[in-house]
Amino acid sequence: MTTLVTIGLDLAKTVFQVHGITAEGKVLVRRQLRRGEVLKFFQGVPSCLVGIEACGTAHYWAREIAALGHTVKLMPPAYVKPYVKRGKTDAADAEAICEAVTRPTMRFVAIKTTDQQAALMLHKTRDLLVRQRTMLVNGLRGHLAEFGIIAAKGLGGVKTIIEALHEAQDQLPELAQLALHGIVEQLRHLGTEIERLEARILAWHRASDVSRRLATIPGIGPITASAIAAAVPDGTLFRSGRQFAAWLGLTPKAHSSGGKERQVGISKQGDGYLRRLLVVGATAVMRLARKDNASRSWATKLSERKPAKLATVALANKTARIVWAVMTRGKTYEAPSAA
């Protein structure tokens, strides 16, 4: 296998598929590997280009294989799919990966470090617990409504509804008290865990130079800044701020044909968590009334001509472009001077 130059590796939980070709495109390797055989296989192969689809375990395997002297490139699965010739098999997927990694127009995913993955794990765990808390709050509110106890929506009404539960617990059946107090106890435990995770995220944010610089942008706090810094290790992978915003799914989705251009909303592709954080931050900027700033003035003028939600997403798009500029230029955000 001295002339092997490109390998496509289809990842799995236990059975992996390898497809290797020469510089002329001749297939030299097409075989399955058990999990324990993967690194042994690459140890016996001369340094070559290895293509892998970006997925949950891709960054781990990319780091391990790169440590053996290979050049590893990760690709979004959606960009590899067009190269699958026919059917859905592991062998066909590995062949498509091997073909896609050699394309000059292919876009690649930066390999994350263990520290960046750990930081993102904090964010994902926090997001999971927040969603679980929302489910518990909705369940508590719904169950109490069956007994005529109503409270305001949102987390602001949680304290009120818990107080109402304690005041009316003598009028509730014993079984209902048991179930509802169990939900309240879970809410308290989740609140403590969320606060603990947020404290660790804040500590990571303070230790990261990129994250601190991103937090100088209006509408971006420690949570959003640290999530972006961990999810985007290298901003230079994007040619422009618009490409970065497109990667986040904040640019219009085109449906054009026959010379007729038509755009229908944003594409909503890419990382939905980052996109949601940017939109939430833009919503806060839109509602800011304490003092004027360039971002707010621009958004206010847009909101006078467009619906509020559309203006909010447009501001999130603009914020994403500023994020790319701050990351690639190594500077903090400087608000433009008033005209």
Side-chain angles (χ1 to χ4, degrees):
M1 294 190 295
T2 56
T3 57
L4 192 63
V5 296
T6 307
I7 293 178
L9 177 62
D10 182 51
L11 300 180
K13 187 175 295 183
T14 55
V15 180
F16 298 69
Q17 184 73 34
V18 172
H19 186 92
I21 62 174
T22 65
E24 295 76 22
K26 180 181 179 181
V27 179
L28 287 185
V29 181
R30 185 189 287 117
R31 56 173 292 193
Q32 288 185 347
L33 297 173
R34 305 295 294 184
R35 182 181 182 87
E37 300 173 337
V38 175
L39 295 182
K40 295 179 182 178
F41 170 81
F42 283 99
Q43 286 175 350
V45 174
S47 298
C48 59
L49 174 63
V50 181
I52 302 176
E53 284 184 325
C55 62
T57 61
H59 296 277
Y60 163 77
W61 287 111
R63 291 192 300 266
E64 294 295 319
I65 296 174
L68 299 176
H70 299 283
T71 301
V72 184
K73 293 186 177 182
L74 303 183
M75 299 167 290
Y79 294 168
V80 177
K81 186 176 181 180
Y83 294 93
V84 179
K85 291 183 174 62
R86 179 176 293 182
K88 174 66 178 72
T89 64
D90 291 344
D93 290 345
E95 182 180 358
I97 294 170
C98 187
E99 174 71 18
V101 75
T102 61
R103 297 300 89 198
T105 57
M106 179 54 61
R107 298 176 183 175
F108 299 102
V109 177
I111 301 174
K112 295 182 177 62
T113 64
T114 54
D115 181 59
Q116 290 165 336
Q117 282 189 292
L120 285 176
M121 195 172 295
L122 284 177
H123 281 273
K124 293 176 182 178
T125 304
R126 173 187 173 274
D127 187 50
L128 173 63
L129 296 183
V130 168
R131 285 187 280 113
Q132 290 179 345
R133 182 176 63 182
T134 302
M135 294 172 63
L136 288 174
V137 170
N138 291 338
L140 179 62
R141 181 179 293 107
H143 291 319
L144 286 176
E146 297 179 18
F147 294 98
I149 302 175
I150 307 297
K153 294 182 180 180
L155 291 178
V158 174
K159 183 178 180 181
T160 303
I161 202 170
I162 292 177
E163 293 175 351
L165 169 62
H166 289 298
E167 293 174 359
Q169 63 180 353
D170 293 337
Q171 287 77 40
L172 297 175
E174 181 180 354
L175 295 179
Q177 294 181 37
L178 179 65
L180 294 175
H181 282 293
I183 294 178
V184 172
E185 186 62 29
Q186 288 294 321
L187 279 172
R188 289 172 177 166
H189 177 69
L190 281 177
T192 301
E193 285 297 309
I194 291 172
E195 290 177 359
R196 184 176 66 87
L197 290 174
E198 289 178 346
R200 295 304 301 269
I201 291 174
L202 181 60
W204 191 93
H205 159 74
R206 290 172 175 169
S208 171
D209 175 66
V210 175
S211 185
R212 292 198 308 271
R213 287 191 284 108
L214 291 178
T216 61
I217 303 173
I220 293 185
I223 297 293
T224 306
S226 58
I228 295 174
V232 189
D234 185 8
T236 59
L237 289 175
F238 304 94
R239 294 192 304 269
S240 63
R242 187 187 187 284
Q243 190 181 69
F244 177 66
W247 176 73
L248 291 171
L250 288 169
T251 53
K253 185 177 182 180
H255 284 271
S256 304
S257 179
K260 296 182 179 180
E261 296 186 1
R262 182 168 177 257
Q263 295 179 338
V264 288
I266 58 175
S267 67
K268 294 185 179 180
Q269 296 179 347
D271 195 320
Y273 177 66
L274 295 182
R275 182 172 62 251
R276 184 170 75 250
L277 290 177
L278 287 172
V279 172
V280 170
T283 303
V285 173
M286 292 285 290
R287 294 178 178 177
L288 186 63
R290 289 178 296 179
K291 60 180 181 179
D292 290 334
N293 57 68
S295 296
R296 181 175 178 269
S297 299
W298 179 87
T300 302
K301 293 177 181 178
L302 181 62
S303 62
E304 294 173 354
R305 298 180 285 108
K306 300 291 183 179
K309 290 186 177 180
L310 191 151
T312 299
V313 174
L315 179 58
N317 182 309
K318 183 178 181 180
T319 303
R321 300 187 184 204
I322 297 173
V323 165
W324 177 83
V326 169
M327 293 182 66
T328 55
R329 297 173 186 175
K331 299 180 180 179
T332 59
Y333 171 77
E334 295 181 3
S337 57

